[in-house]
């Protein structure tokens, strides 16, 4: 992978950026995504934000090596704190982290999203936490994609501001409204795998014997297994 050729996962993320956007890639690591986005014309300006020293320096090196110092600003800081109003960022990308961490990055500095119209988020786990954040903050889901790469399955969520309250069913929040409609092979494979894992955990807990804590966990697990069974029917 480099600034010309992204992983399948990051390439899908990049293709959700509208042409000539002003983007912030939070947790940019190697900064391949903003470099690619600028080189392909998806972004006219980008911020590569990083909290950790190593990735921050590797992003700086990458942007310099690619000759994009005029278009990409590499900044060290926590989440959205690296954004300034004068940057006029319209699109925020956060990829390759857990859903709860992505949701907390959005929650912690929500005021930084004032001028932002599009969020492109790729959680590695618990995408439902992002959908729930969206409902609370009047962001609706405008697209979703689920992709398999190197035997791993990734979800990509695209959110835009909504002027009316956003409502989803429990299943839509859990599985994703678009993904639930499509139920493609990657979706089926992901949820089959989750269901198998929960069944194994259930068996182990059952072997441990009855305690009130175990009963509570079993009730939750059985409900999740049933929910997936119903959806995969
Ligand atoms: N976005 C890249 C991708 O999808 O390939 C890199 C993902 S990497 C697994 C996660 C990166 O997010 C790490 O480099 C980490 O240092 C950075 N990170 C984690 N929490 C962060 C935060 N609160 N603010 C900025 N960067 C963060």
């Amino acid at each position: 992978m480099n600034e010309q050729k992204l992983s399948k996962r990051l390439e899908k993320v990049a293709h959700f950026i509208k042409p000539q956007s002003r983007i912030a890639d939070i947790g940019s690591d190697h900064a391949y995504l903003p470099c690619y986005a600028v080189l392909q014309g998806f972004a006219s300006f980008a911020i590569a934000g990083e909290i950790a020293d190593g990735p921050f320096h590797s992003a700086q090196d990458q942007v310099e090596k690619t000759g994009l110092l005029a278009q990409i600003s590499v900044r060290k800081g926590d989440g959205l704190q690296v954004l300034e109003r004068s940057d006029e960022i319209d699109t925020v990308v956060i990829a390759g982290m857990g859903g709860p961490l992505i949701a907390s990055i959005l929650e912690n500095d929500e005021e930084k999203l004032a001028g932002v119209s599009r969020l492109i988020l790729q959680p590695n786990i618990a995408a439902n936490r992002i959908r729930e954040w969206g409902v609370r903050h009047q962001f609706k889901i405008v697209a979703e994609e689920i992709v398999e790469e190197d035997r791993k399955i990734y979800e990509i969520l695209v959110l835009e501001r909504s002027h009316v309250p956003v409502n989803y069913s429990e299943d839509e929040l859990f599985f994703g409204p678009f993904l639930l409609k499509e139920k493609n092979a990657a979706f089926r494979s992901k949820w089959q795998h989750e269901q198998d894992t929960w069944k194994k955990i259930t068996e182990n807990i059952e072997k441990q014997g009855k305690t009130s804590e175990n009963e509570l966990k079993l009730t939750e697990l059985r409900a999740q297994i049933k929910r997936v069974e119903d959806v995969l029917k």
Side-chain angles (χ1 to χ4, degrees):
M1 182 161 71
N2 57 39
E3 73 284 356
Q4 306 276 357
K5 177 90 188 92
L6 295 181
S7 62
K8 182 175 164 189
R9 168 184 67 88
L10 276 184
E11 195 180 339
K12 295 267 181 201
V13 168
H15 281 76
F16 281 117
I17 303 170
K18 290 182 179 167
Q20 296 299 306
S21 295
R22 294 179 68 85
I23 70 164
D25 180 31
I26 303 301
S28 195
D29 196 352
H30 30 64
Y32 290 152
L33 180 110
C35 289
Y36 177 89
V38 168
L39 292 174
Q40 298 290 323
F42 294 125
S44 58
F45 172 75
I47 293 171
E50 249 301 329
I51 198 166
D53 274 335
F56 169 70
H57 291 303
S58 104
Q60 277 184 318
D61 292 347
Q62 176 63 31
V63 171
E64 196 175 343
K65 190 180 88 185
T66 318
L68 293 173
L69 283 169
Q71 292 102 319
I72 303 178
S73 170
V74 182
R75 300 183 190 170
K76 188 155 179 280
D78 187 355
L80 302 174
Q81 286 172 20
V82 296
L83 270 64
E84 297 300 335
R85 192 95 201 189
S86 55
D87 296 319
E88 296 182 352
I89 294 300
D90 52 47
T91 302
V92 167
V93 178
I94 313 180
M97 302 178 206
L101 178 56
I102 294 178
S104 77
I105 287 175
L106 297 168
E107 182 83 34
N108 288 349
D109 298 282
E110 205 216 331
E111 69 285 357
K112 296 277 188 182
L113 294 174
V116 173
S117 53
R118 180 168 260 237
L119 305 172
I120 304 169
L121 309 169
Q122 185 271 297
N124 291 339
I125 54 159
N128 58 312
R129 297 287 293 276
I130 292 175
R131 297 187 191 100
E132 287 158 11
W133 177 90
V135 169
R136 287 199 303 277
H137 296 272
Q138 286 199 210
F139 272 90
K140 62 176 185 275
I141 301 160
V142 296
E144 286 177 318
E145 194 147 338
I146 186 161
V147 288
E148 186 158 4
E149 181 174 47
D150 298 335
R151 299 169 64 92
K152 289 201 187 109
I153 295 176
Y154 303 99
E155 286 172 66
I156 301 164
L157 281 61
V158 185
L159 280 71
E160 286 184 356
R161 283 187 186 281
S162 171
H163 300 296
V164 291
V166 188
N167 266 314
Y168 295 108
S169 68
E170 276 194 28
D171 276 353
E172 285 173 327
L173 282 177
F174 196 69
F175 297 102
F178 289 87
L179 303 180
L180 189 60
K181 237 179 229 152
E182 195 187 355
K183 288 187 200 170
N184 70 11
F187 176 92
R188 290 182 171 279
S189 160
K190 174 194 163 82
W191 290 109
Q192 190 60 59
H193 178 75
E194 297 279 359
Q195 198 188 38
D196 292 346
T197 308
W198 295 333
K199 280 184 178 163
K200 277 187 201 133
I201 299 172
T202 303
E203 281 165 21
N204 284 335
I205 296 177
E206 280 166 348
K207 278 184 206 151
Q208 287 168 16
K210 278 195 175 188
T211 66
S212 54
E213 200 188 330
N214 280 355
E215 287 304 309
L216 201 70
K217 278 190 209 154
L218 284 173
T219 306
E220 274 173 28
L221 283 162
R222 285 177 189 140
Q224 288 187 178
I225 292 166
K226 170 87 171 64
R227 170 179 271 179
V228 172
E229 249 165 31
D230 288 346
V231 157
L232 294 187
K233 252 185 221 156

